[in-house]
Amino acid sequence: MRVAMIGTGYVGLVSGACFADFGHVVTCVDKDASKIERLKNGIMPIYEPGLDDLVASNVKEERLFFTTDAADAIKDADAVFIAVGTPSRRGDGHADLSYVYAAAEEIAGLMDGFTVVVTKSTVPVGTGDEVEEIIRKARPDGDFAVVSNPEFLREGAAIKDFKIPDRVVVGTDDERARQLMRELYRPLFLNETPILFTERRTSELIKYAANAFLAVKITFINEMADLCEKVGANVQEVSRGIGLDNRIGRKFLNAGPGYGGSCFPKDTLALTKTANDAGAPVRIVDTVVAVNAARKKAMAAKIIGAMGGDVKGKTIGVLGLAFKQNTDDMRDAPSLDILPALMAAGAKVRAFDPEAMTEAGHLLEGVEFASSPYAAIQGADAMVIITEWDQFRALDFDRVKAALNSNIVVDLRNIYSPEDMAARGFAYTSIGRP
Ligand code: UDX
């Protein structure tokens, strides 16, 4: 089967490489010529474990191609995926669909023979109808179907999530399109992945509902953590205690500094906009958006509190900047709220992240970047863990003690045990644990 993938962002690139690995012939199209050139040379635009090898092997097998020229890719394709960005529109928080509509125009001009146009970008309910209308207007006799096929992959675990998903959701009422989508995902049937066929609008909403529900879950446990701190309970045990109930489930109950990333903040906001416009507000998500934003801001005060209430002239060594581990993505990372607030309170910040420092350098003015965790905390008045990278989980505490100018450790990801840290002589503050 021949696939054209429009957009080589996170979703487009990973999906394209994985479809190629399934045995399809995939051409990834992007307008950014330098990105395409780098991809042709095996240089990935993002840090994602395993992606470089997956791309290299499929390029070598001549199943994966990169181009800036959409014409051939679309003309020959059985399925054209739209995987362009849908950022928050400046000012109102609605999803900006201009790239999606531009892709639809382009596909309309180039498609040849029956073509299934698949929206993989996260798009508000009704976008598929708009895409269909754009193409129909340009090609009144065109033979095509527009399908919604949202992607649920997580950054840092993207390849595994794509290849071993919990489910595949396909929204269409066109039988030929349904057959083609089944064929495309056939390799997944080996491990009995459920494939859920729905109406297009339902499929579009499933993606937002899934992300919003997970954001609710995280925000719920974060508020439980605050409560635990007040009443002397342990949030990790609360998580386990409720998560073992199968109706609740154990995942996404890790308390932390608030969710960030390219999806949850943007998609929760877009869902509330859609819901308000439709006259059916989802107040729980409205609240989650507000609580999460406030939480990220409150983390700086927590750190300052742990340091005695005044950080003027003090140095803070920060471990981790990315919004979570295994990614260099800084979008809506809690560090972007925390570090400027610490500096505004008079602290000097020295930070280390294994992958995100280049990106962080563009976003965090005034932060000094270090070459290792130990260099970040050398002579510092506190060590603060913001991202749960594996390499921070087993630090050499003799080195930490020798480097630090104090015994203060603030762990916003609960990667250490309060008892162990106290036994080692640290004044240790974490999230929701006595
Ligand atoms: C998310 C969805 O999981 C994925 O299905 C969707 O396709 C895109 O958005 P991603 O943003 O890559 O994926 O990361 P995820 O692992 O979901 O984490 C999102 C944020 O929530 C991170 O800031 C993370 O640190 C935070 N989080 C996650 C918690 O604070 N606690 C948890 O228990 C889980």
Side-chain angles (χ1 to χ4, degrees):
M1 197 157 291
R2 299 189 83 88
V3 173
M5 186 67 66
I6 313 293
T8 57
Y10 232 107
V11 167
L13 185 54
V14 173
S15 310
C18 288
F19 277 134
D21 212 46
F22 287 170
H24 303 303
V25 177
V26 180
T27 306
C28 293
V29 185
D30 204 294
K31 290 201 177 339
D32 183 339
S34 71
K35 195 175 184 187
I36 289 296
E37 209 38 53
R38 274 177 285 143
L39 279 165
K40 281 184 176 168
N41 291 314
I43 301 166
M44 298 299 108
I46 47 171
Y47 171 76
E48 178 64 35
L51 186 60
D52 42 3
D53 288 345
L54 190 75
V55 167
S57 65
N58 283 285
V59 166
K60 190 162 162 260
E61 298 291 330
E62 300 187 347
R63 288 192 299 257
L64 183 59
F65 301 89
F66 297 101
T67 180
T68 51
D69 179 11
D72 283 347
I74 292 174
K75 184 166 67 64
D76 295 339
D78 303 298
V80 182
F81 281 77
I82 300 177
V84 295
T86 53
S88 282
R89 204 161 62 191
R90 236 173 263 263
D92 65 5
H94 274 287
D96 178 353
L97 295 172
S98 52
Y99 303 109
V100 172
Y101 294 152
E105 298 271 5
E106 185 164 41
I107 295 164
L110 297 167
M111 66 185 194
D112 189 18
F114 178 61
T115 306
V116 176
V117 178
V118 191
T119 313
K120 223 182 209 335
S121 305
T122 299
V123 293
V125 178
T127 304
D129 301 357
E130 297 277 335
V131 167
E132 185 170 325
E133 223 177 285
I134 289 170
I135 301 177
R136 180 63 63 210
K137 209 162 149 203
R139 295 282 295 272
D141 306 323
D143 190 12
F144 68 99
V146 175
V147 172
S148 159
N149 172 221
E151 184 47 57
F152 300 97
L153 59 81
R154 286 165 304 165
E155 296 186 12
I159 294 167
K160 180 176 156 284
D161 282 355
F162 191 92
K163 288 189 163 184
I164 316 173
D166 288 341
R167 79 306 204 185
V168 171
V169 176
V170 175
T172 178
D173 49 17
D174 184 295
E175 189 44 42
R176 281 187 300 172
R178 215 174 277 148
Q179 282 306 337
L180 182 136
M181 294 301 286
R182 209 176 267 128
E183 192 52 31
L184 214 81
Y185 280 105
R186 205 163 49 86
L188 295 185
F189 300 160
L190 285 175
N191 47 19
E192 299 181 353
T193 301
I195 180 159
L196 179 67
F197 288 104
T198 71
E199 288 292 313
R200 198 163 58 201
R201 283 175 171 252
T202 305
S203 165
E204 289 167 339
L205 188 56
I206 286 172
K207 168 72 192 199
Y208 281 97
N211 274 356
F213 192 85
L214 293 169
V216 169
K217 217 174 163 187
I218 295 166
T219 306
F220 176 82
I221 205 65
N222 283 340
E223 289 206 306
M224 283 298 127
D226 290 347
L227 179 57
C228 284
E229 286 175 17
K230 297 281 185 219
V231 300
N234 181 323
V235 75
Q236 259 173 338
E237 289 168 14
V238 172
S239 285
R240 195 163 154 70
I242 63 173
L244 285 169
D245 184 329
N246 281 333
R247 292 169 303 173
I248 296 174
R250 292 161 71 164
K251 294 183 179 158
F252 276 66
L253 284 178
N254 295 317
Y259 62 76
S262 61
C263 292
F264 285 177
K266 154 178 94 69
D267 295 345
T268 45
L269 196 61
L271 178 62
T272 62
K273 299 291 168 191
T274 302
N276 288 338
D277 288 356
V282 276
R283 280 169 298 173
I284 193 165
V285 183
D286 281 326
T287 304
V288 160
V289 169
V291 170
N292 192 63
R295 180 170 191 81
K296 290 202 268 182
K297 298 217 179 309
M299 287 298 120
K302 185 179 175 81
I303 295 165
I304 295 169
M307 294 180 70
D310 184 8
V311 292
K312 227 173 264 134
K314 292 189 179 165
T315 299
I316 302 176
V318 168
L319 307 193
L321 298 166
F323 82 96
K324 64 172 197 177
Q325 68 165 343
N326 287 335
T327 179
D328 59 354
D329 202 331
M330 286 293 296
R331 282 175 283 182
D332 278 303
S335 62
L336 295 177
D337 282 304
I338 299 170
L339 271 51
L342 294 176
M343 291 186 289
K348 193 173 157 243
V349 175
R350 200 183 310 121
F352 170 76
D353 187 285
E355 295 294 337
M357 288 197 289
T358 309
E359 188 54 25
H362 305 305
L363 302 168
L364 285 168
E365 226 171 276
V367 172
E368 188 189 329
F369 294 100
S371 57
S372 76
Y374 303 103
I377 60 171
Q378 185 61 45
D381 298 292
M383 173 170 97
V384 177
I385 300 167
I386 299 186
T387 313
E388 72 285 24
W389 283 93
D390 279 348
Q391 62 170 273
F392 303 152
R393 291 177 194 266
L395 291 170
D396 176 343
F397 281 105
D398 290 335
R399 283 183 77 183
V400 170
K401 270 191 180 158
L404 269 184
N405 204 12
S406 80
N407 66 345
I408 300 170
V409 172
V410 182
D411 173 4
L412 300 183
R413 296 289 184 166
N414 288 353
I415 62 179
Y416 288 106
S417 119
E419 294 78 24
D420 287 355
M421 294 302 277
R424 289 192 172 105
F426 288 104
Y428 176 74
T429 305
S430 61
I431 301 279
R433 298 182 303 176

